[in-house]
Amino acid sequence: MIIVMEANAREKDIEEVKRVIINAGLDIHISTGTDRTILGVVGDKKKLGGKPLEMMPGVEKIVPIMNSYKLASRTFKNGNTIVKVGNVEVGGDEIVIMAGPCAVESREQLFEVAEVVKISGAQFLRGGVYKPRTSPYSFKGLKEQGLLLLDEVKRATGLKIVTEVMSTENLEAVAQYSDVLQIGARNMQNFNLLEEVGKIKKPVLLKRGLSSTIEEWLNAAEYIMCEGNYDVILCERGIRTFETATRNTLDLSAIPVIKENSHLPIIIDPSHGTGVWKYVCAMSKAAVAAGADGLMIEVHPNPLEALSDGAQSLRPDKYNALAREIKVLAEVCGRKFNGD
Amino acid sequence: MIIVMEANAREKDIEEVKRVIINAGLDIHISTGTDRTILGVVGDKKKLGGKPLEMMPGVEKIVPIMNSYKLASRTFKNGNTIVKVGNVEVGGDEIVIMAGPCAVESREQLFEVAEVVKISGAQFLRGGVYKPRTSPYSFKGLKEQGLLLLDEVKRATGLKIVTEVMSTENLEAVAQYSDVLQIGARNMQNFNLLEEVGKIKKPVLLKRGLSSTIEEWLNAAEYIMCEGNYDVILCERGIRTFETATRNTLDLSAIPVIKENSHLPIIIDPSHGTGVWKYVCAMSKAAVAAGADGLMIEVHPNPLEALSDGAQSLRPDKYNALAREIKVLAEVCGRKFNGD
Amino acid sequence: MIIVMEANAREKDIEEVKRVIINAGLDIHISTGTDRTILGVVGDKKKLGGKPLEMMPGVEKIVPIMNSYKLASRTFKNGNTIVKVGNVEVGGDEIVIMAGPCAVESREQLFEVAEVVKISGAQFLRGGVYKPRTSPYSFKGLKEQGLLLLDEVKRATGLKIVTEVMSTENLEAVAQYSDVLQIGARNMQNFNLLEEVGKIKKPVLLKRGLSSTIEEWLNAAEYIMCEGNYDVILCERGIRTFETATRNTLDLSAIPVIKENSHLPIIIDPSHGTGVWKYVCAMSKAAVAAGADGLMIEVHPNPLEALSDGAQSLRPDKYNALAREIKVLAEVCGRKFNGD
Amino acid sequence: MIIVMEANAREKDIEEVKRVIINAGLDIHISTGTDRTILGVVGDKKKLGGKPLEMMPGVEKIVPIMNSYKLASRTFKNGNTIVKVGNVEVGGDEIVIMAGPCAVESREQLFEVAEVVKISGAQFLRGGVYKPRTSPYSFKGLKEQGLLLLDEVKRATGLKIVTEVMSTENLEAVAQYSDVLQIGARNMQNFNLLEEVGKIKKPVLLKRGLSSTIEEWLNAAEYIMCEGNYDVILCERGIRTFETATRNTLDLSAIPVIKENSHLPIIIDPSHGTGVWKYVCAMSKAAVAAGADGLMIEVHPNPLEALSDGAQSLRPDKYNALAREIKVLAEVCGRKFNGD
């Protein structure tokens, strides 16, 4: 931590700041410049207990130096984390695809999509059964009944299941049937929920919040990891900006930024990221080329009849075509994908 | 709902869209322009069940006409909602001030602040006991112990209490001791929590999410109201933008926008809105001049020792001076405030 | 400037950075922490000539300490700058109002508005004659003919004139007739234009860019000032965010931030800031309460017939009512305003 | 254009709106719903001359249906525009790379970079000689002297030249030496400059503004095109968001959005888009995979000595490696690239 003193800070102001730092058991280095004095604080700043030094007389600003997350950082672990979900590895050589409907709507719909995505090489079936919806009057999912359908299709197809857990009340139920626990964008800073999934031995897919910085996102991962669950998969799904041509702005730069700062795998959701099915293929390919470890894609046998987010869902034939393109692309990018 | 057809839409595309609309039991009006055809859909669009008509061949875009919230809208209720908390009215003639520490830290701290804010005219004592924190390593509040302290100071001073409820697990405890249930910005779209507070007979203070539009905010209020709890107080606390000179960008335009579109009271939190104590006074006065029904302000007897958000907390003397200014300002704005 | 080394930086990396700093004629202070080494650079960093030290091996990041603007900063000048425009002072005790139509449309329109705003106490008539428009097919202003109309109304009423200069080509013409040269939001970083207005002895009204930080805005002022023209009036007019209920998000926090960091006067334009006439009164009052030095408000005798931005223009009667409210408000805020 | 009347609009309000529409020579279609009346306006809305109908009594809002740009739209021209620059085609089968230093600094630097980028297959040499800089104290380019250097290297290498024109004053000079006129992000809405480059017979590279929507960007292209210059190349270079891990947020979704709505070619600038050289390779590959027609990349023989933006410049060896990867990628994406 760096403490920048004001140009006209008095000697006694500087002394007082030094006193506080030293009393907290920290070391201090002083740079006296032509314009102002700068104090470098050495040691674990938690010893300061969140004390707002910027309020002390003569202090202009505080510049933090270290990230607040540790377990999620590249500094903590040099190699890449590979999250194992049965025989599937997320973060390894192989591109992982999680495909399926936005919401589980019926047995027929789910089995039809599962068949399609399995043939095209997806390792995971996605499908929401607890649905966060902006309006209370929208379809909120099949809930427990949907979990049973997911379980049935899993047994029938061997696909792994990823579905969202919206609250601690249904965590136990979701954890019983789902292979990966998805934390949605709106819950990225639902800290109670993060702590609870941290206590369970199940991989977590942590979506980035609509207006969360990458640092906040890694801090959310830290919440899960510091409870003992290290199997966190990050998922970029678009951030909120002024642009309205797309539902969100898919921040693909997050891929190299995460790869530099963290050891956790990252996958991309171009369906929510763009909100428009026509843009999903282009952004899926871009994600793989940028180094993503996988994709989460919405597929619906009949998007027109979808109860949720149909406009961003691919029809089966489009999805098949995309899977074939991903296979070729993955190879020239030094990855693998087992599409047909 | 308006359906805009593409310039080169075929007659059969238009017919197909018409068929879907009519089959859903809705009426349709057709405008055939020089460039393209536009279809106006008349009736309750919920009959369409979320069908993504924008995916139908020949459809360029769908333009929604009606807001999705109803109970929260000015159309639903013409007069202003006044939320009664004991003998205090939020949304009435009087400016309401909710002041206190960011976090309850100790009995001494809490009583000292309570004394100060009560003398200066605040009707509510604020103070977090369950604290949402970006990093898992920060102070997370005194929890149940803090609730007991709030209860004690309430009995001693007569101040009303407002404190945050972070999850359904502690809803019952918070509801037992707090006069108003605060939903924090990060939980504005924690829909389970919204539904649960909607089932309780306690006023709710609903903070706007960091990246939530005003329409989404009113939809979040709708979640609470459609469960039967109409006592919702809105609280603007800054939105996330590119500007870094302030912690957030306080969107005071939300005041006239809410007053036009909703009957619910709105208060402003300039402490979180700016993140810098030096800016709190200017923005508090601006809020009252713009027509806010109240303010939520962080006050700490010794901000330097605060365990959370000290940098945005006012010292007691600054808070007193502000309260006196608010009193004068309220009067010329046609409001009242019982500051000393 | 602070140089933060990576946790695993080698001794030779640190030595190499030190060598570069010292060779540039700068001093250096070293803090060796438990986790990493931090180097404080003392002296004028311009000696480094923009060298990207963050690219050197072992360097994690560079943290700038000093703002890049000087003449515009509070450090450079402690008292407030008062910009004198004839007998009117901008930045002094009196609230200054610049009112008038978005665009000058005709002699009748201009004189009608001028009469209205003069009676209600405005010191300036605003009115665009060179209009920046998003679409090339929109009305772009009366150009030179409009300047002559502004000149005529100025002689007839004694009102000062403020109008936008869009390019260096028409700078001479605008400077001949206008008392204040307005630089529009889209031109805030049109650096050639800034340099040219900096060479003229005319006060400049510098609007904040739609996506400009306050620091960039003060740097734009610096462009003008370092050419010798110190009479810069800042004007906040809304920034671009995700919210669509208003045309822009009016950032009133800019008022206390500017007052803390700069000596330049700041006025607020709630017409562009909100884009909706119904919200202009609330935000005008908020601006004055927050400490703004003045307001820029669009007034049109018949907004329905306006050729530009009618939807954000006040009718004369609304403007009169607002002026009366501002007068009362100014007084309780320790300012003056000579409304009727 | 759709006019949505308020729920409680009176019959006479509706009649008055109809009268205005019909008087302007436009047709009208009326949808009377259960909640409100909606009016569809048929014909060229320019006949309304910008009249703000949303201000008329009883009108709730106006919903525009048609984009304001025409020449730049896919509706206007179905095939893709290929911009020919000598023997190079931008927007054709071949991926086009424009590489070179941020700023031209010296003859040696320029020739060294030119050699590198030519060997690796770039068709264009980029290099700023008029540099827009946030601070007036930064290096602003070699100006005319830099143009002569660009001309010399062009003759020596056969590379095409692209360099920024910052103002109409230096348009003639830039147009004399540069093959493509670059309009920088800060000048995207410098309408005078757009009009002037529209009058010249030189291809234009139009960068997207930091906070410009795609619709505004295409309107800026329209400014150039409606003056007669149809050779416009769009360049996405990152938009401004809340995220600070990257200098800007590179909006790669702009590629499919532009391809759907316009016939103009689009290239991507990952150097400005990310601001960090380490992220340039990943985003370059992503851009090509998403369907970009080309890339603009900053290369510097010794980034540490760069006078501008060194931190986002690639060293020659990194650039060579990237060019080889682009070549392979282009092929599997159905494009070509003549890298070595």
Side-chain angles (χ1 to χ4, degrees), chain B residues 166-177:
Chain B
M166 271 182 72
S167 75
T168 51
E169 278 90 342
N170 39 54
L171 175 54
E172 195 179 326
V174 176
Q176 183 179 349
Y177 296 111

Side-chain angles (χ1 to χ4, degrees), chain A residues 123-145:
Chain A
Q123 299 90 335
F124 283 84
L125 179 68
R126 62 147 290 151
V129 298
Y130 297 96
K131 300 295 304 168
R133 301 304 297 267
T134 301
S135 162
Y137 307 120
S138 301
F139 172 62
K140 293 180 196 166
L142 293 183
K143 304 197 167 75
E144 290 71 15
Q145 186 198 343

Side-chain angles (χ1 to χ4, degrees), chain A residues 274-339:
Chain A
T274 64
V276 183
W277 70 268
K278 287 181 194 174
Y279 307 151
V280 168
C281 281
M283 300 315 282
S284 296
K285 291 189 281 179
V288 170
D293 295 305
L295 298 167
M296 176 171 255
I297 297 174
E298 292 191 357
V299 181
H300 197 285
N302 187 357
L304 254 175
E305 302 300 326
L307 296 178
S308 162
D309 283 349
Q312 67 195 33
S313 298
L314 293 185
R315 290 178 203 272
D317 57 332
K318 300 278 185 198
Y319 173 72
N320 284 339
L322 172 60
R324 280 191 295 272
E325 291 196 76
I326 294 298
K327 187 177 166 70
V328 177
L329 198 59
E331 272 156 28
V332 305
C333 293
R335 305 293 283 260
K336 287 184 288 185
F337 175 63
N338 291 327

Side-chain angles (χ1 to χ4, degrees), chain C residues 51 133 137 168-169 222-223, chain D residues 133 137 168-169 222-223:
Chain C
K51 210 182 283 288
R133 302 303 297 268
Y137 308 119
T168 51
E169 280 90 341
E222 188 85 7
Y223 259 90
Chain D
R133 302 302 298 266
Y137 307 119
T168 51
E169 279 90 342
E222 188 86 6
Y223 258 91

Side-chain angles (χ1 to χ4, degrees), chain C residues 6 46 49-57 59 68-71 131-137 140 166-170 186-187 189-192 195-196 210-213 215-216 219-220 222-223 226-227 240 277-278 303-315, chain D residues 6 46 49-57 59 68-71 131-137 140 166-170 186-187 189-192 195-196 210-213 215-216 219-220 222-223 226-227 240 277-278 303-315:
Chain C
E6 290 173 355
K46 265 183 286 179
K51 210 182 283 288
L53 300 175
E54 58 268 56
M55 295 195 75
M56 295 187 70
V59 174
S68 42
Y69 55 88
K70 291 184 173 51
L71 306 175
K131 299 294 304 168
R133 302 303 297 268
T134 300
S135 163
Y137 308 119
K140 293 181 196 167
M166 270 182 70
S167 74
T168 51
E169 280 90 341
N170 40 54
R186 285 171 191 76
N187 277 320
Q189 292 194 319
N190 181 334
F191 300 118
N192 289 63
E195 285 171 357
E196 293 307 314
L210 273 79
S211 64
S212 297
T213 63
E215 186 172 354
E216 289 168 341
N219 264 299
E222 188 85 7
Y223 259 90
C226 75
E227 296 292 336
R240 183 156 273 184
W277 71 266
K278 287 181 192 174
L304 254 176
E305 302 299 327
L307 295 177
S308 162
D309 283 349
Q312 68 194 34
S313 298
L314 293 184
R315 292 176 203 274
Chain D
E6 290 172 355
K46 265 182 283 177
K51 211 184 280 290
L53 300 175
E54 58 268 58
M55 295 196 74
M56 295 187 70
V59 174
S68 43
Y69 54 89
K70 290 184 175 52
L71 306 176
K131 299 295 305 169
R133 302 302 298 266
T134 301
S135 163
Y137 307 119
K140 293 180 195 166
M166 271 182 69
S167 75
T168 51
E169 279 90 342
N170 39 54
R186 287 171 188 76
N187 277 321
Q189 292 194 319
N190 181 335
F191 299 118
N192 288 64
E195 285 170 358
E196 293 308 312
L210 274 79
S211 64
S212 296
T213 62
E215 187 173 353
E216 289 168 341
N219 264 298
E222 188 86 6
Y223 258 91
C226 75
E227 295 292 336
R240 183 157 274 185
W277 71 266
K278 287 181 194 173
L304 254 176
E305 301 300 327
L307 296 178
S308 162
D309 283 349
Q312 67 194 35
S313 299
L314 293 185
R315 292 177 203 273

Side-chain angles (χ1 to χ4, degrees), chain D residues 243-302:
Chain D
E243 178 58 70
T244 56
T246 42
R247 183 175 175 180
N248 298 290
T249 297
L250 190 65
D251 180 13
L252 290 183
S253 322
I255 300 168
V257 174
I258 287 292
K259 290 292 175 196
E260 188 188 15
N261 291 287
S262 178
H263 50 86
L264 297 172
I266 176 170
I267 70 167
I268 302 295
D269 174 351
S271 303
H272 284 90
T274 63
V276 182
W277 71 266
K278 287 181 194 173
Y279 308 150
V280 168
C281 280
M283 299 316 281
S284 296
K285 292 189 280 179
V288 170
D293 296 304
L295 298 167
M296 176 171 255
I297 297 174
E298 292 191 358
V299 182
H300 197 285
N302 187 355

